[in-house]
Amino acid sequence: MVATEDFKITKTRKSKLGELDFNNIPFGKYFTDHMLEVNYDQGQWGTVEIKPYQPIMIDPACAALHYGQAIFEGIKAYKNEDGEAFIFRPEDNFKRFNISAERMEMPQVPEEIFMEGMKQLVKLDEEWIPAKPDHSLYIRPFMFSTDEVIGVKPSQKYKFMIILSPTGPYYSAPMRIFAEEKYVRAVPGGVGYTKNAGNYGASMYATAEAKRKGYDQVLWMDAFEHKYVQECGTMNVFFIMGNTAVTPSLADGTILAGVTRDSVIQLLKDMGLEVEERNLSIDEIEDAYKEGTLHEVFGTGTAATTSFIKELRYKDFVMTFETEKWKVGTEISRRMNAIKEGKAEDKYGWMVKV
Ligand code: COI
């Protein structure tokens, strides 16, 4: 048991906040004054330190650098019109973090450290939360193995940290997406459902190839038939077909169980749409487009929020969409933002006060 009164808090002597231009904050580039750091060794968590943001010392033999036991989360904090700070569904990210930890044979992070540590850190740096539409404070909890040894085995030592980054939109314009047939992101029995750093490293080559062809991201497909869509770059993906929203099912463990995905499913149901979580083939998508029943395609994620897809290419077939005419995606964005900004009733209790 970790007692929160034992957290060791050292405040910075000189805030960097004055250097931040709130009118120009690209995603993930700036970090706040403080960070959280705690080490795990021999089955025990050490003292939780909240201290000035600073580099950390890593041994060249640090196991995570060699064998990839590294996981993370992405969460956002917002300010309402009264200037109060809230975090969006942090409990869900906490649970998913420990699901990732289990799959990667890493220790569970206790709730007091993750949740209380995050709240205290955000409270300390709450002036860094941009109070602007489409802006937020991105919270990045992460953990990696720190044994100093060459050899493939689970580490005895780990470091858990939280850093904070004030941020604007991740994808600022409607996207062009390339349906990827050759490279795969995840296989059943693998680690696709975790937020393990390697999933992102493994995606970069295919994403760079898509960018070289003029696309923003790839739409991943299943590893066996290269036919069933999974997720899109750093986002889950939704297809609006008639009055139904279809999103790939989480059942085979290849897809990240997005917290935004789950929220969007709820809001779609509130709007009266049918939601189907199921296998969806690229052929079905193409047919629906040809028949005129595929109306909208959008991605969802903590960083990406709701990102519209204006072009989807599969082989030589190009599907284009007039995103400015969309009703569903636009309404989902509006409802999500209204909840996050405290302008609409938070009927599911998603916003947790700091
Ligand atoms: C998130 O949506 O929070 C993510 O972790 C995606 C990331 C690659 C920015």
Side-chain angles (χ1 to χ4, degrees):
M1 185 74 184
V2 180
T4 51
E5 55 275 18
D6 294 338
F7 285 10
K8 187 175 163 211
I9 300 177
T10 313
K11 292 189 186 167
T12 185
R13 272 183 281 157
K14 191 172 178 322
S15 173
K16 301 172 291 184
L17 187 57
E19 295 162 27
L20 183 72
D21 174 4
F22 275 93
N23 292 316
N24 179 21
I25 18 185
F27 189 91
K29 190 158 186 253
Y30 300 109
F31 299 94
T32 65
D33 285 329
H34 300 93
M35 65 185 197
L36 179 147
E37 183 177 354
V38 53
N39 294 320
Y40 175 93
D41 191 6
Q42 313 288 340
Q44 299 268 343
W45 288 98
T47 303
V48 176
E49 287 188 73
I50 292 179
K51 57 187 179 185
Y53 189 95
Q54 58 194 271
I56 51 172
M57 289 271 281
I58 293 289
D59 191 282
C62 173
L65 299 179
H66 302 266
Y67 308 116
Q69 271 184 303
I71 60 171
F72 69 95
E73 270 303 327
I75 308 171
K76 279 180 173 170
Y78 299 84
K79 248 184 200 166
N80 68 14
E81 281 175 331
D82 299 328
E84 297 166 315
F86 289 84
I87 305 176
F88 185 73
R89 301 189 68 172
E91 279 278 348
D92 297 84
N93 294 86
F94 163 63
K95 289 185 188 133
R96 190 174 67 183
F97 189 81
N98 276 337
I99 290 172
S100 299
E102 182 184 22
R103 179 62 179 82
M104 299 301 289
E105 194 57 34
M106 298 168 87
Q108 297 285 291
V109 174
E111 186 158 359
E112 308 79 63
I113 293 182
F114 192 104
M115 293 296 291
E116 231 3 85
M118 172 169 49
K119 282 188 202 159
Q120 292 203 20
L121 183 64
V122 172
K123 184 90 203 145
L124 194 56
D125 282 343
E126 73 179 329
E127 286 184 19
W128 288 79
I129 305 177
K132 281 176 68 172
D134 294 326
H135 287 63
S136 59
L137 184 70
Y138 188 80
I139 304 168
R140 169 52 61 88
F142 59 107
M143 173 164 62
F144 57 97
S145 55
T146 54
D147 271 9
E148 295 117 17
V149 63
I150 305 269
V152 182
K153 59 179 166 49
S155 210
Q156 296 299 308
K157 295 196 289 177
Y158 295 85
K159 191 183 282 295
F160 172 73
M161 299 188 69
I162 307 179
I163 55 176
L164 308 174
S165 174
T167 151
Y170 191 69
Y171 299 120
S172 44
M175 302 170 73
R176 300 180 67 224
I177 300 293
F178 184 83
E180 178 56 62
E181 289 179 88
K182 179 174 173 193
Y183 305 108
V184 296
R185 175 184 174 277
V187 291
V191 293
Y193 66 92
T194 70
K195 238 172 144 51
N196 135 50
N199 282 343
Y200 295 81
S203 75
M204 288 187 196
Y205 184 77
T207 308
E209 288 267 281
K211 286 197 173 155
R212 285 189 272 274
K213 292 176 191 137
Y215 290 84
D216 298 303
Q217 272 294 344
V218 297
L219 174 63
W220 298 106
M221 290 192 278
D222 76 282
F224 298 128
E225 296 181 69
H226 301 277
K227 175 175 163 185
Y228 294 103
V229 300
Q230 293 185 329
E231 52 181 76
C232 191
T234 60
M235 316 179 286
N236 294 116
V237 64
F238 287 79
F239 297 82
I240 307 300
M241 297 170 164
N243 197 38
T244 303
V246 186
T247 192
S249 153
L250 304 177
D252 73 358
T254 55
I255 294 173
L256 192 77
V259 176
T260 309
R261 174 186 182 278
D262 186 68
S263 313
V264 166
I265 288 176
Q266 189 58 59
L267 296 182
L268 286 165
K269 288 180 180 167
D270 290 353
M271 284 163 59
L273 273 87
E274 294 290 322
V275 180
E276 293 178 3
E277 296 177 66
R278 62 169 169 88
N279 286 345
L280 175 64
S281 74
I282 191 74
D283 300 325
E284 182 182 340
I285 293 167
E286 196 178 311
D287 288 347
Y289 180 83
K290 286 177 183 156
E291 285 160 13
T293 52
L294 174 61
H295 303 308
E296 305 183 19
V297 187
F298 53 82
T300 63
T302 299
T305 61
T306 311
S307 290
F308 292 179
I309 293 171
K310 67 175 181 185
E311 182 179 323
L312 174 59
R313 173 170 172 179
Y314 174 55
K315 298 186 197 269
D316 288 332
F317 189 69
V318 178
M319 298 169 243
T320 55
F321 303 92
E322 291 180 76
T323 56
E324 57 289 347
K325 295 191 178 155
W326 286 2
K327 295 210 168 61
V328 178
T330 308
E331 180 61 11
I332 286 290
S333 268
R334 192 195 66 72
R335 287 188 187 213
M336 280 290 256
N337 288 340
I339 295 170
K340 290 170 174 176
E341 290 164 16
K343 294 179 183 154
E345 186 200 350
D346 173 24
K347 62 179 179 180
Y348 302 109
W350 288 340
M351 303 305 287
V352 173
K353 196 159 188 304
V354 170

